[in-house]
């Protein structure tokens, strides 16, 4: 007799924090072996839904109603080990789920938590590393990995746990197109081999069109009827066309002086060579995009340009050797939006964060501009990942700048919000002759806005 398949059932689920209603009377089901996608605007409650499906509740000033059952078991009555047998969640911000120092130790920790047989532990670690093709990262410290490499490690952890259901929150956001295709194929194989149920949140549905047929839009706290990938892409194309109609990014550049000029540059991250280049320059008033494979060193390059990473050779910033510019002088004219926006927040509310620079601002106008109206008194750390990223970008754009460095500014954004983030950066480039250097895996979006796009590959920065 074959194994009885499990079923995830959600009935009339509602969730609110203080007076903010996030989910309202939401119902759906997913059987083991099925795969489906969740699609919706940034801040619509997708990650909150996944947290609840995994048994995580924010007990402080929150209220949950309705039922979440795996077969006949209420998720909130199961022990941690029992939950792990049923469901595994890969967080959107994978930094928040790591507990150990190295990749190997993190995988061992996962296996120990499910009481894995010590005799097979080493074999299972190797299988997980091989599944994600990250054997070379086994001994690496997690803090030294790129965003894309961390996502692959988090996926390897999910592989180890062997749950009946797998929830993936933006699993490909920091991966290049080739890596995404490889992981999608591996997930398909895993689904077939283990017959697991998979639920995915993603804004880039085109990457998954050959695998996931049903996408459920999350709107006003409820899941609507499923849409095909073709319908979603048609709607996105129409939206993009409507957004572009009225755009005029004309500018008047008085000169084309160099903001960044590098000669005989060599950059390493530990023993790994990132860049070895005779020269490159970034000019004033230019919007510059940088692309490259996951782990190629894009973030390390930005860290170097932000005086956070040692290098050999010479880098001039506004005509002066960067090493001779103290950090106070440098950051009076430069801002760096890091890959994890939580690393840069310094206050307790959105309002205080926007006013931290002591600039006179029109708070209501700014909040409306970045779709954060009504959230001025909320902690930045309680915002969704997409909302945090918009806040991180806009708070630096309020300052007068010569150079803006952005690492994946549109990560976790729906198309409309991603477009407006790039539009805000472009307007500042055009209006104030600022230079913007943006790292992203979204090549289509970079092509719409950038003056120059560079590829970081095989330790070289080459103009596309």
């Amino acid at each position: 007799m074959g194994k009885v398949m499990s079923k995830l059932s959600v009935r009339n689920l509602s969730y609110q924090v203080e007076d903010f209603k996030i989910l309202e009377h939401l119902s759906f089901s997913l059987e083991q072996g099925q795969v489906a996608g969740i699609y919706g605007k940034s801040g619509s409650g997708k990650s909150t839904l996944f947290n609840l499906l995994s048994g995580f509740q924010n007990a402080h000033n929150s209220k949950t109603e309705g039922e979440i059952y795996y077969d006949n078991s209420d998720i909130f009555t199961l022990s941690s080990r029992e939950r792990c047998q049923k469901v595994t969640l890969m967080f959107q911000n994978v930094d928040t789920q790591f507990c150990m120092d190295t990749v190997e130790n993190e995988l061992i920790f996962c296996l120990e938590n499910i009481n894995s047989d010590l005799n097979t532990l080493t074999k299972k670690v190797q299988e997980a590393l091989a599944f994600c093709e990250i054997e070379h990262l086994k001994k690496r410290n997690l803090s030294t990995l790129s965003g894309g490499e961390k996502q692959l490690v988090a996926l390897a952890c999910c592989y180890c746990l062997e749950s009946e259901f797998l929830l993936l929150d933006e699993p490909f956001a920091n991966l290049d197109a080739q890596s995404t295709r490889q992981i999608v194929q591996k997930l398909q194989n895993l689904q077939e081999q283990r017959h697991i149920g998979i639920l995915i949140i993603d804004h880039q549905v085109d990457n998954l069109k050959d695998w996931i047929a049903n996408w459920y839009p999350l709107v006003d706290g409820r899941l609507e009827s499923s849409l095909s990938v073709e319908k979603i892409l048609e709607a996105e194309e129409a939206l993009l066309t409507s957004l572009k109609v009225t755009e005029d990014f004309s500018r008047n550049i008085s000169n084309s002086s160099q903001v960044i000029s590098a000669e005989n540059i060599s950059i390493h991250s530990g023993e790994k060579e990132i860049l070895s280049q005779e020269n490159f320059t970034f000019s004033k008033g230019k919007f510059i995009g940088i692309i490259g494979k996951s782990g190629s060193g894009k973030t390390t390059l930005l860290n170097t340009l932000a005086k956070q990473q040692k290098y050999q050779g010479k880098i001039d910033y506004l005509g002066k050797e960067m090493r001779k510019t103290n950090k106070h002088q440098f950051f009076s004219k430069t801002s760096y939006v890091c890959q994890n926006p939580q690393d840069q927040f310094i206050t307790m509310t959105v309002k205080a964060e926007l006013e931290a620079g002591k600039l006179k601002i029109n708070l209501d106008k700014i909040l409306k501009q970045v779709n954060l109206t009504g959230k001025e008194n909320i902690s930045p750390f309680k915002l969704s990942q997409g909302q945090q990223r918009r806040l991180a970008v806009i708070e630096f754009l309020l300052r007068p700048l010569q150079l803006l460095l952005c690492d994946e500014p549109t990560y976790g954004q729906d198309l409309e919000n991603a477009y407006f983030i790039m539009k805000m950066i472009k307007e500042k480039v055009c209006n104030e002759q600022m230079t913007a250097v943006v790292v992203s895996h979204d090549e289509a979006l970079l092509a719409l806005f950038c003056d120059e796009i560079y590829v970081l590959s095989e330790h070289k920065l080459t103009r596309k």
Side-chain angles (χ1 to χ4, degrees):
M1 191 173 183
K3 180 182 175 182
V4 177
M5 294 294 104
S6 295
K7 183 176 181 179
L8 162 62
S9 300
V10 180
R11 295 186 284 268
N12 209 30
L13 179 65
S14 295
Y15 180 78
Q16 69 182 65
V17 178
E18 297 177 346
D19 295 329
F20 289 95
K21 293 182 179 180
I22 301 173
L23 303 174
E24 290 193 77
H25 308 295
L26 183 149
S27 298
F28 76 98
S29 64
L30 185 75
E31 293 187 2
Q32 193 177 350
Q34 291 182 328
V35 59
I38 305 290
Y39 178 83
K41 284 195 171 186
S42 168
S44 61
K46 302 182 299 297
S47 296
T48 298
L49 172 61
F50 270 27
N51 285 337
L52 292 170
L53 296 181
S54 305
F56 297 120
Q57 287 189 100
N58 178 3
H60 182 65
N61 291 333
S62 69
K63 181 180 179 182
T64 305
E65 295 179 345
E67 298 177 338
I68 301 173
Y69 273 76
Y70 288 87
D71 294 330
N72 297 318
S73 301
D74 183 337
I75 186 66
F76 298 118
T77 66
L78 297 177
S79 67
S80 297
R81 185 168 295 172
E82 288 171 333
R83 283 206 307 266
C84 205
Q85 292 173 348
K86 293 294 182 183
V87 59
T88 294
L89 168 64
M90 177 176 158
F91 292 4
Q92 188 177 42
N93 181 357
V94 293
D95 282 326
T96 60
Q97 74 185 71
F98 293 142
C99 300
M100 306 303 287
D101 53 351
T102 68
V103 173
E104 180 181 31
N105 287 340
E106 185 69 25
L107 294 173
I108 291 172
F109 179 73
C110 290
L111 291 165
E112 288 176 340
N113 272 275
I114 58 171
N115 207 21
S116 186
D117 185 349
L118 292 177
N119 295 321
T120 61
L121 193 142
T122 300
K123 179 184 177 183
K124 288 184 176 181
V125 167
Q126 286 303 126
E127 287 176 351
L129 293 169
F131 173 76
C132 292
E133 298 184 14
I134 52 172
E135 295 98 323
H136 60 291
L137 301 180
K138 180 178 179 179
K139 299 293 183 180
R140 286 274 299 275
N141 193 297
L142 288 163
S143 64
T144 68
L145 302 182
S146 72
E149 288 170 334
K150 288 177 180 178
Q151 283 189 300
L152 292 172
V153 173
L155 191 58
C157 292
C158 294
Y159 179 92
C160 283
L161 296 173
E162 299 185 5
S163 303
E164 295 172 354
F165 290 88
L166 181 57
L167 311 179
L168 302 174
D169 193 348
E170 298 276 4
F172 314 114
N174 283 323
L175 299 178
D176 61 90
Q178 182 179 345
S179 297
T180 296
R181 287 192 293 269
Q182 291 173 345
I183 295 302
V184 167
Q185 182 60 58
K186 289 180 177 294
L187 284 170
Q188 288 180 271
N189 294 339
L190 184 65
Q191 182 197 7
E192 293 171 2
Q193 293 167 10
R194 295 184 179 174
H195 213 67
I196 60 176
I198 300 179
L199 200 56
I200 292 182
I201 292 172
D202 208 308
H203 291 292
Q204 305 285 344
V205 300
D206 194 28
N207 296 330
L208 303 166
K209 63 184 178 183
D210 295 328
W211 181 29
I212 302 179
N214 298 315
W215 287 86
Y216 296 89
L218 182 55
V219 181
D220 297 330
R222 302 185 186 189
L223 288 179
E224 297 188 342
S225 300
S226 66
L227 294 175
S228 67
V229 173
E230 289 74 21
K231 287 289 185 183
I232 292 174
L233 293 178
E234 286 175 11
E236 287 187 347
E237 186 62 32
L239 173 62
L240 198 55
T241 300
S242 69
L243 292 172
K244 290 190 292 184
V245 167
T246 59
E247 301 302 347
D248 178 11
F249 295 121
S250 59
R251 70 185 89 184
N252 181 21
I253 300 178
S254 56
N255 62 72
S256 57
S257 59
Q258 295 171 353
V259 174
I260 294 289
S261 177
E263 296 179 8
N264 300 317
I265 289 298
S266 178
I267 303 172
H268 287 76
S269 179
E271 297 181 357
K272 181 182 178 181
E273 185 178 43
I274 299 299
L275 187 68
S276 178
Q277 187 130 342
E278 289 185 6
N279 58 73
F280 67 86
T281 60
F282 297 151
S283 298
K284 182 177 181 179
K286 294 291 186 180
F287 195 151
I288 294 160
I290 297 178
I291 60 176
K293 288 185 177 181
S294 305
S296 61
K298 302 181 296 298
T299 295
T300 302
L301 174 58
L302 282 191
N303 287 339
T304 304
L305 298 180
K307 290 178 66 70
Q308 308 296 309
Q309 172 79 27
K310 292 182 179 180
Y311 62 92
Q312 294 177 318
K314 181 183 179 184
I315 299 178
D316 283 348
Y317 173 62
L318 296 175
K320 184 177 180 180
E321 221 293 319
M322 186 180 285
R323 291 192 185 94
K324 297 179 181 179
T325 305
N326 66 50
K327 287 192 175 182
H328 177 74
Q329 291 174 324
F330 180 79
F331 283 107
S332 68
K333 302 174 182 177
T334 304
S335 285
Y336 183 16
V337 181
C338 5
Q339 198 170 84
N340 184 357
Q342 292 185 5
D343 292 341
Q344 68 189 60
F345 295 143
I346 59 174
T347 68
M348 298 303 292
T349 68
V350 170
K351 180 177 184 290
E353 194 70 29
L354 290 169
E355 295 176 343
K358 299 189 183 300
L359 298 172
K360 291 183 178 180
I361 62 172
N362 185 330
L363 182 64
D364 290 339
K365 180 181 178 181
I366 292 168
L367 291 172
K368 183 178 180 181
Q369 191 175 10
V370 291
N371 289 331
L372 292 177
T373 299
K375 300 188 183 296
E376 59 269 25
N377 295 317
I378 291 178
S379 166
F381 298 95
K382 288 187 176 181
L383 298 175
S384 74
Q385 287 283 301
Q387 291 169 335
Q388 287 179 352
R389 205 158 296 265
R390 296 201 298 276
L391 176 61
V393 173
I394 192 63
E395 68 174 315
F396 282 144
L397 288 178
L398 295 174
R399 297 177 52 203
L401 294 173
Q402 295 277 3
L403 176 64
L404 176 68
L405 306 171
C406 282
D407 197 351
E408 298 284 358
T410 61
Y411 167 87
Q413 305 295 327
D414 59 273
L415 177 61
E416 186 171 4
N417 278 308
Y419 183 92
F420 279 114
I421 285 175
M422 297 293 277
K423 178 188 173 187
M424 287 189 295
I425 298 173
K426 183 75 170 185
E427 286 175 342
K428 194 169 182 74
V429 167
C430 294
N431 297 336
E432 301 179 24
Q433 297 185 31
M434 175 191 77
T435 299
V437 181
V438 172
V439 163
S440 178
H441 286 296
D442 195 333
E443 295 185 37
L445 204 57
L446 289 180
L448 283 176
F449 290 94
C450 290
D451 302 301
E452 302 170 6
I453 296 177
Y454 291 83
V455 181
L456 181 55
S457 177
E458 297 182 350
H459 321 306
K460 300 294 182 185
L461 196 62
T462 307
R463 186 165 177 180
K464 189 175 179 182

